[in-house]
Amino acid sequence: MTSNDTLARLAQVIESRKSGDPDKSYVARLFHKGTDAILKKIGEEACETVMAAKDGDKQKLVYEVADLWFHSMLALSAFGLTPADVLAELERREGLSGLEEFAARKAIRREGEGG
């Protein structure tokens, strides 16, 4: 079993629960509250991830990154996307220099702005 399998299974669980009873499912509750609630949770989890890293607490960092990934997967689902979409993007970037990738995105933005 691979990490891709774990992400795919989790995505399936999210899909199965997002239309459920908000009183019985955390996933359903966040979806019931709307996209802003999901995005707010991502912001909170991102801050908690940074704090855990700054504290140097490895176990807490793993815990917080898991929360961040989970809530990010809720956002993906809200927009009709899956972990496979993110993995495909990471695979596309594989072998590219981070600096080259950043420069390419900057050039695309400039072209989109007309100049």
Short mmCIF file of all heavy atoms in Angstrom, two decimals, residues 24-25 39 43 45 53 59 76 80 85-86 92 98 102:
data_model
loop_
_atom_site.label_atom_id
_atom_site.label_comp_id
_atom_site.label_asym_id
_atom_site.label_seq_id
_atom_site.Cartn_x
_atom_site.Cartn_y
_atom_site.Cartn_z
N LYS A 24 -23.49 14.64 13.04
CA LYS A 24 -22.82 13.35 13.24
C LYS A 24 -21.47 13.25 12.55
O LYS A 24 -20.74 12.29 12.75
CB LYS A 24 -23.72 12.22 12.73
CG LYS A 24 -25.00 12.08 13.54
CD LYS A 24 -25.83 10.95 13.03
CE LYS A 24 -27.12 10.86 13.85
NZ LYS A 24 -28.01 9.81 13.36
N SER A 25 -21.13 14.23 11.71
CA SER A 25 -19.90 14.16 10.95
C SER A 25 -19.21 15.52 10.91
O SER A 25 -19.81 16.53 10.51
CB SER A 25 -20.20 13.70 9.51
OG SER A 25 -19.08 13.92 8.67
N LEU A 39 -11.82 26.98 4.47
CA LEU A 39 -10.61 27.79 4.24
C LEU A 39 -10.08 28.37 5.54
O LEU A 39 -8.86 28.46 5.74
CB LEU A 39 -10.91 28.89 3.23
CG LEU A 39 -11.35 28.38 1.85
CD1 LEU A 39 -11.68 29.55 0.94
CD2 LEU A 39 -10.31 27.48 1.22
N GLY A 43 -6.28 27.88 7.24
CA GLY A 43 -5.45 28.95 7.80
C GLY A 43 -5.02 28.65 9.22
O GLY A 43 -3.84 28.82 9.59
N GLU A 45 -4.82 25.69 10.67
CA GLU A 45 -3.90 24.55 10.68
C GLU A 45 -2.53 24.94 10.15
O GLU A 45 -1.50 24.44 10.63
CB GLU A 45 -4.48 23.37 9.91
CG GLU A 45 -5.78 22.82 10.46
CD GLU A 45 -5.71 22.35 11.91
OE1 GLU A 45 -4.60 22.11 12.44
OE2 GLU A 45 -6.78 22.23 12.53
N ALA A 53 6.64 23.71 14.08
CA ALA A 53 7.98 23.68 13.49
C ALA A 53 8.92 24.63 14.23
O ALA A 53 10.07 24.27 14.51
CB ALA A 53 7.91 24.03 12.01
N GLN A 59 7.00 15.50 16.67
CA GLN A 59 5.74 14.76 16.70
C GLN A 59 4.55 15.71 16.50
O GLN A 59 3.62 15.40 15.77
CB GLN A 59 5.59 13.99 18.02
CG GLN A 59 4.36 13.11 18.04
CD GLN A 59 4.29 12.14 16.86
OE1 GLN A 59 5.27 11.47 16.52
NE2 GLN A 59 3.14 12.06 16.22
N LEU A 76 -9.97 20.75 -1.59
CA LEU A 76 -9.91 20.13 -2.91
C LEU A 76 -11.27 19.56 -3.28
O LEU A 76 -11.77 19.80 -4.39
CB LEU A 76 -8.86 19.01 -2.94
CG LEU A 76 -7.39 19.44 -2.90
CD1 LEU A 76 -6.49 18.22 -2.73
CD2 LEU A 76 -7.02 20.21 -4.16
N GLY A 80 -14.11 20.25 -6.42
CA GLY A 80 -14.19 19.16 -7.40
C GLY A 80 -12.83 18.58 -7.79
O GLY A 80 -12.68 18.04 -8.88
N ASP A 85 -5.01 15.13 -8.43
CA ASP A 85 -4.72 16.36 -9.17
C ASP A 85 -3.45 17.02 -8.63
O ASP A 85 -2.62 17.52 -9.39
CB ASP A 85 -5.90 17.33 -9.07
CG ASP A 85 -7.15 16.79 -9.73
OD1 ASP A 85 -7.08 16.40 -10.92
OD2 ASP A 85 -8.20 16.74 -9.06
N VAL A 86 -3.29 17.02 -7.31
CA VAL A 86 -2.10 17.61 -6.69
C VAL A 86 -0.88 16.75 -7.00
O VAL A 86 0.19 17.27 -7.34
CB VAL A 86 -2.29 17.77 -5.17
CG1 VAL A 86 -1.02 18.31 -4.52
CG2 VAL A 86 -3.48 18.68 -4.87
N ARG A 92 4.52 16.71 -12.43
CA ARG A 92 4.88 17.61 -13.53
C ARG A 92 6.11 18.42 -13.16
O ARG A 92 6.99 18.68 -13.98
CB ARG A 92 3.71 18.55 -13.85
CG ARG A 92 3.98 19.47 -15.05
CD ARG A 92 2.94 20.56 -15.18
NE ARG A 92 3.03 21.56 -14.12
CZ ARG A 92 3.94 22.54 -14.06
NH1 ARG A 92 4.88 22.65 -14.97
NH2 ARG A 92 3.92 23.42 -13.07
N GLY A 98 13.42 24.51 -8.55
CA GLY A 98 12.44 25.38 -7.91
C GLY A 98 12.55 26.81 -8.43
O GLY A 98 11.56 27.50 -8.61
N PHE A 102 9.60 28.85 -10.39
CA PHE A 102 9.18 30.18 -9.94
C PHE A 102 9.28 31.19 -11.08
O PHE A 102 8.36 31.98 -11.30
CB PHE A 102 10.02 30.63 -8.74
CG PHE A 102 9.65 31.99 -8.23
CD1 PHE A 102 8.48 32.20 -7.53
CD2 PHE A 102 10.47 33.08 -8.48
CE1 PHE A 102 8.13 33.46 -7.07
CE2 PHE A 102 10.13 34.34 -8.03
CZ PHE A 102 8.97 34.53 -7.32
#
